[in-house]
Amino acid sequence: MSFDNIRRIASRDYDLWAQLGRGRAVLDTPEKLDQYLYSYGPMTKAQWRTLLSELSLIPEPIEIIDYGCGQGLATALLFDHFGDDFIKSVQKVVLIEPSEVALRRAGAIISCYSADQFQVETINKTMDAIDAEDLLGKTGILTNHIFSNVLDIDGYDHFKLLEKIFQRKGRHCILAVSHDRSFEGGSSRFKDLETAVCDPQYSEWFTVQQTQIWQFECGNGKPAIAWVLEIEVIDGSF
């Protein structure tokens, strides 16, 4: 299983690009999923290749939560980049997605990577419908939160979502990447969240260990924005 093989198998042009909502629509048919792979697969790979090249993840017990996961492409790229030692350190992957058909495919894809090494949990919800209880897991391990072309989308309360994430004590790492744009949500949502997280009034609840936002051009020449946040939640009651 690999991202490239997923595209080789399922990427097809059904002339449905106009129904993808510039990559932000909730896809409700397998044909639209295939069209997304065809139309936006190269962009997704280019974005995550740039972001992941800046990271050095040490294999340790972790859980992954992929928000608005679509077909699970970002998690697949994470596994492809860091390889078997990283995959063996994963204890659970939670896939959250409002499209039932996309969620079924994501679950199948990530289960192929698992080979029964880790648990795969699927949650069919919109971003605003996510509960803090959906995000609970083992204490004492790192949780990686994945946002692939999701954090920039308007129509949900990104501040409330972050509050729900930080109800869980322990170490968190947010990995987010999106197209760099200034309309319909856009890159300002990254910067607004970073400003809120770094506000000194929250220092009694969590410690920011690293935060970095950078803008770049992907290999396909498209502008992108990424955010890496490492944080430890001391008291999840804020």
Side-chain angles (χ1 to χ4, degrees), residues 102-118:
L103 190 60
R104 284 196 298 271
R105 183 179 289 188
I109 286 172
I110 302 307
S111 293
C112 288
Y113 279 97
S114 167
D116 296 325
Q117 293 185 65
F118 57 79

Side-chain angles (χ1 to χ4, degrees), residues 67 96 126-128 130-131 135 147 150-151 156-167 193:
Y67 300 80
I96 304 175
T126 63
M127 302 294 275
D128 279 334
I130 296 171
D131 298 317
L135 311 178
F147 294 87
V150 169
L151 203 58
Y156 72 92
D157 192 329
H158 51 314
F159 292 107
K160 286 290 185 183
L161 178 58
L162 210 65
E163 287 181 12
K164 294 171 186 176
I165 288 173
F166 293 159
Q167 294 298 308
L193 284 175

